[in-house]
Amino acid sequence: MIEGTDLFLISATLPVAESSGFSTELLSKTSGSATAPLLSFSHWAPMDVDPFWRPTTQEERDEHGEAYASHEMDLTTNLARRHIDGVRKRKGLAVEARIVKDAEKQRTLSRNK
């Protein structure tokens, strides 16, 4: 809290990939009572996970499971891959994703005359 005021000063580290739309979300969540945040660059830090890693050997498949080889499982566990796909979607680039998740056979309903 800033001395002599009712204001709070919050310092935090925020990943660049998460900062897109941060100020509008902050204002909407606080009903406009928060001021526009001043975002400044702090540092770079490499991520420890490879965004394109897939199990290749039988030992890796046994350890991580066959589901880990799919793109959906990769998105739930791999933070680096989620950031890359989020940036690609925002820029309008192609993303490896299934459009239809649970498809059923389509049927045409005919009119009985």
Side-chain angles (χ1 to χ4, degrees), residues 50-98:
D50 180 11
F52 302 107
W53 183 84
R54 300 285 168 98
T56 54
T57 64
Q58 187 62 36
E59 184 178 300
E60 289 173 344
R61 286 189 186 115
D62 291 341
E63 182 180 342
H64 298 286
E66 286 294 325
Y68 197 84
S70 72
H71 185 70
E72 275 71 29
M73 186 65 169
D74 198 19
L75 286 177
T76 58
T77 58
N78 195 334
L79 181 64
R81 185 63 186 210
R82 277 195 309 223
H83 287 320
I84 288 174
D85 284 352
V87 170
R88 291 184 68 85
K89 282 180 191 174
R90 194 172 67 242
K91 290 185 173 189
L93 300 173
V95 177
E96 179 188 338
R98 292 191 304 180

Side-chain angles (χ1 to χ4, degrees), residues 30-41:
T30 60
S31 301
S33 61
T35 60
L38 174 64
L39 300 177
S40 61
F41 180 76

Side-chain angles (χ1 to χ4, degrees), residues 3 22 32 91:
E3 284 291 323
F22 175 72
K91 290 185 173 189

Side-chain angles (χ1 to χ4, degrees), residues 1 7 17-18 20 26 29 32 36 44 52-54 57 69 81 83 85 88 93 95 105-107 109 111:
M1 188 163 197
L7 299 176
E18 303 290 330
S20 176
L26 178 68
K29 297 281 184 184
W44 288 103
F52 302 107
W53 183 84
R54 300 285 168 98
T57 64
R81 185 63 186 210
H83 287 320
D85 284 352
R88 291 184 68 85
L93 300 173
V95 177
K105 185 176 178 181
Q106 182 178 357
R107 63 187 183 128
L109 300 175
R111 285 173 93 178

